[in-house]
């Protein structure tokens, strides 16, 4: 059983700890030693570390899961890779283009260590079903994609520092990227209601892909929604039909010349966390495996976000 240290002991770390419990021997590290000790007790871990350098210096630690606030990711990832530890880092992987390149340089310098990004949307049953329908050409050639998730979300603590697109919309950028499997040729961003000097809370990102195929993402943290963002619909239009899906992944509707068909991709792992955790553990165990959610995909997704912010 591999020994994995969770770095950061907040809400998302709790989710990772639940998914890793029983599949790995857990250790904990946090800026608050008390938080690390509490997590260690709650999840029946094997110990806690007062500092990251102590965890990285420990020969018993095989890998780290970095679940700290985003401003710490770059330095912690580089330090972990330099120590020869496998890494899974929460999204967003970095908060500036310069940080992205610094992490890439560190990963290239330490190819023996695994670097995976915890982008759970790549592992959602929703995406698996959408890709299967596209590959089977159930809607012909894609002509446009329109993704929408607009709701109200309070921002407390470190989340106040970052725009909604970077911190939350990045999930849907990843979803669109996985549908096309290539980088867009053009990116245009609009941020209705944005205040000067304040992080945006609503974004409209327009993408153009080869063949003049277009995609649009509408994402908001300050739009009232009676359902809290549930039962909003996104669409993929093709030459022979369309795919309509509940944006969270509850269901998928295919409409085409053969009629209409409704699918429920998988409610047991709706957000894809279990499948993501499974792949991380497989890659730690088998060094010949490479994760789908790797550095290059995270780099491409973040480039879309940073390009949108330039407008």
């Amino acid at each position: 059983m591999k020994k994995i240290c969770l770095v950061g002991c907040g809400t998302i770390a709790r989710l990772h700890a639940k998914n890793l419990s029983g599949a790995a021997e857990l250790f904990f590290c946090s800026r608050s030693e008390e938080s690390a000790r509490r997590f260690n007790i709650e999840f029946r871990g094997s110990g806690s570390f007062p500092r990251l350098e102590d965890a990285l210096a420990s020969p018993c630690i095989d890998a780290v899961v970095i679940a700290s606030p985003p401003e710490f990711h770059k330095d912690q990832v580089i330090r972990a890779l330099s120590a020869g530890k496998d890494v899974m880092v929460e999204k967003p992987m970095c908060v500036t283009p310069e940080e992205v390149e610094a992490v890439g340089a560190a990963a290239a310098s330490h190819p023996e260590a695994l670097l995976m990004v915890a982008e759970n949307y790549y592992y959602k049953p929703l995406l698996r079903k959408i890709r299967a329908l596209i590959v089977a050409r159930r809607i012909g050639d894609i002509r446009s994609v329109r993704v929408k998730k607009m709701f109200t979300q309070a921002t407390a603590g470190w989340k106040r520092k970052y725009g909604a697109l970077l911190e939350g919309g990045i999930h849907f950028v990843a979803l669109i990227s996985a549908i096309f499997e290539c980088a867009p040729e053009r990116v245009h961003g609009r941020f209705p209601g944005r205040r000067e000097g304040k992080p945006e809370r609503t974004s409209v990102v327009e993408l153009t892909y080869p063949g003049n195929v277009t995609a649009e993402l509408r994402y908001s943290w300050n739009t009232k929604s009676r359902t809290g963002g549930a039962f909003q619909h996104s669409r993929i239009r093709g030459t022979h039909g369309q795919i309509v899906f509940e944006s969270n992944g509850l269901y998928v509707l295919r409409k085409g010349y053969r009629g209409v068909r409704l699918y429920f991709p998988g409610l047991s792992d709706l957000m894809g966390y279990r499948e993501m955790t499974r792949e991380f553990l497989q890659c730690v165990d088998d060094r010949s495996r490479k994760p789908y959610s790797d550095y290059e995909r995270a780099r491409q997704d973040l480039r879309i976000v940073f390009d949108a912010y330039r407008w």
Side-chain angles (χ1 to χ4, degrees), residues 66-122:
I66 296 176
S68 56
E71 61 263 33
F72 300 115
H73 289 179
K74 186 262 291 185
D75 288 340
Q76 291 176 343
V77 169
I78 291 175
R79 289 164 65 187
L81 293 174
S82 299
K85 307 299 184 184
D86 293 333
V87 177
M88 181 164 71
V89 58
E90 259 300 322
K91 60 82 212 160
M93 178 180 68
C94 298
V95 296
T96 69
E98 294 75 20
E99 288 187 355
V100 172
E101 297 309 312
V103 167
S109 297
H110 301 282
E112 74 285 353
L114 164 73
L115 175 56
M116 178 173 172
V117 179
E119 180 44 80
N120 57 293
Y121 271 48
Y122 278 135

Side-chain angles (χ1 to χ4, degrees), residues 107-152:
S109 297
H110 301 282
E112 74 285 353
L114 164 73
L115 175 56
M116 178 173 172
V117 179
E119 180 44 80
N120 57 293
Y121 271 48
Y122 278 135
Y123 300 91
K124 293 186 72 167
L126 165 70
L127 180 57
R128 189 161 55 247
K129 172 52 69 176
I130 288 173
R131 285 167 60 90
L133 291 172
I134 291 171
V135 169
R137 299 191 57 78
R138 292 292 187 263
I139 62 168
D141 297 322
I142 297 175
R143 302 313 308 158
S144 67
V145 175
R146 300 290 180 266
V147 176
K148 176 184 177 182
K149 181 66 182 288
M150 307 185 80
F151 62 113
T152 300

Side-chain angles (χ1 to χ4, degrees), residues 152-178:
T152 300
Q153 177 167 302
T155 53
W158 60 263
K159 284 191 175 184
R160 291 177 179 171
K161 302 177 185 178
Y162 302 107
L165 179 62
L166 176 64
E167 215 299 306
I170 188 72
H171 286 307
F172 293 94
V173 170
L175 180 70
I176 293 170
S177 293

Side-chain angles (χ1 to χ4, degrees), residues 270-287:
L270 181 67
M271 300 305 292
Y273 283 111
R274 288 213 304 268
E275 181 64 20
M276 181 182 73
T277 302
R278 186 184 68 84
E279 178 160 89
F280 175 59
L281 291 172
Q282 287 179 336
C283 290
V284 171
D285 282 332
D286 181 359
R287 304 325 303 264

Side-chain angles (χ1 to χ4, degrees), residues 246-304:
E246 195 277 331
S247 297
N248 295 310
L250 293 174
Y251 50 81
V252 176
L253 192 69
R254 178 181 61 80
K255 300 179 179 180
Y257 64 90
R258 293 184 178 179
V260 178
R261 184 164 181 183
L262 177 66
Y263 306 90
F264 295 94
L267 298 180
S268 63
D269 189 25
L270 181 67
M271 300 305 292
Y273 283 111
R274 288 213 304 268
E275 181 64 20
M276 181 182 73
T277 302
R278 186 184 68 84
E279 178 160 89
F280 175 59
L281 291 172
Q282 287 179 336
C283 290
V284 171
D285 282 332
D286 181 359
R287 304 325 303 264
S288 68
R289 294 180 64 98
K290 301 298 180 184
Y292 184 85
S293 184
D294 60 6
Y295 167 80
E296 289 300 333
R297 292 187 188 279
R299 182 172 181 253
Q300 176 178 295
D301 295 343
L302 285 169
R303 182 176 292 172
I304 291 172

